[in-house]
Structures are given as structure tokens and as C-alpha cells.
Amino acid sequence: NHLTGNWQLAESPNGEKLVFISGQNWEERAIVVYTLDGSEPPLVIDAGDDQAISVARFASDTHLWLEYTDRGNWWGMGDDFYVSRPYIMRIEDQNSIELEVYTFFAGINEENPETVLTWVRAQRAGGGMMTRVRGGVGYGLFEQDLDRRTGRSRTASI
């Protein structure tokens, strides 16, 4: 029964499919793409064992926006904390690309179906990751290609 565990459903832009995360715990989680008219059997994608799938939504009718979360204790700070990594996956062959860590889903790009809109944290020059994270102020809006790591800046920023 794939309808146990995470009940967060996301609908494709064309209204033909649903995606959700199944499983009772992180180790059992899978991504399920369900065709509403029953013309295709549910597609169950193993979410992997090394990271936990935490977000599954549509980036377009043909691609998923996925976020994997990992628990870490970096730089000897003591407490564990969670870091999410976003991916875009082409549903047809499950080919995926990993995006920058500080990239967030902004919305489906209705003007250009080959891209998705993302917020990317502003990067500040400095010595290493901690400087960039602490010094980053605001976000820029990007068009992220669905099948390539490249993206284009948009004018909006916050």
C-alpha cells in the first residue's frame, strides 16, 4: 500500500498526475507518480538509502522537483542539523541533476516549460562556506533549465 506515511500530494500542471512520498520511515521512502486516469501503472522510484527524500513536487508536466535531506554534524558544532539538496528529475527515464544547496523552488515557469523558477541565495565573497552562508543576504530569482545545471537570472530579488 503506497498510500501510507507521507500524505503530501502534488498535482502536475496539466492535472493528469499526482506525486507523493510513500513509506513509514526514511529508509522505506519511495517516490510514487500516479496517473489519475489509470492509463499507466503507478511509477515507484526508489528514493535511495544514503539520504532521505523530503520533498517531491512537479517542476513541469515531465519533471519532478525533489529534495533530499541529510542529517549532519559538521565543523564540530555539536548538535546534528539537517541539510537539504534539491534535484530535478526527468520522470521518463529518472535522469536527475543536482542543484546548488541553497536553491529553493519558486514555481513552475508557465512562460517557458523548459525551465523552472528557483530562488538562489545571494553569495558573498569570503573564505569558505561559513562566510558565504552567514554573509549571504537575500535571494535572486532564476530560470533553471530542467535538463541541464545551467540557469538564467531573472530581475526579481528579495
Side-chain angles (χ1 to χ4, degrees), residues 121-139:
R121 180 182 282 228
Q123 297 293 308
R124 297 285 182 242
M129 184 174 180
M130 286 302 286
T131 304
R132 289 197 305 272
V133 171
R134 289 183 176 157
V137 177
Y139 293 84

Side-chain angles (χ1 to χ4, degrees), residues 55-74:
V55 173
R57 65 193 327 162
F58 284 91
S60 71
D61 289 323
T62 57
H63 290 71
L64 297 175
W65 176 279
L66 306 174
E67 291 179 23
Y68 284 83
T69 301
D70 200 4
R71 186 173 22 223
N73 180 357
W74 295 346

Side-chain angles (χ1 to χ4, degrees), residues 70-81 83 85 102 129:
D70 200 4
R71 186 173 22 223
N73 180 357
W74 295 346
W75 305 298
M77 292 182 178
D79 295 332
D80 284 351
F81 60 94
V83 176
R85 289 193 177 276
Y102 298 106
M129 184 174 180

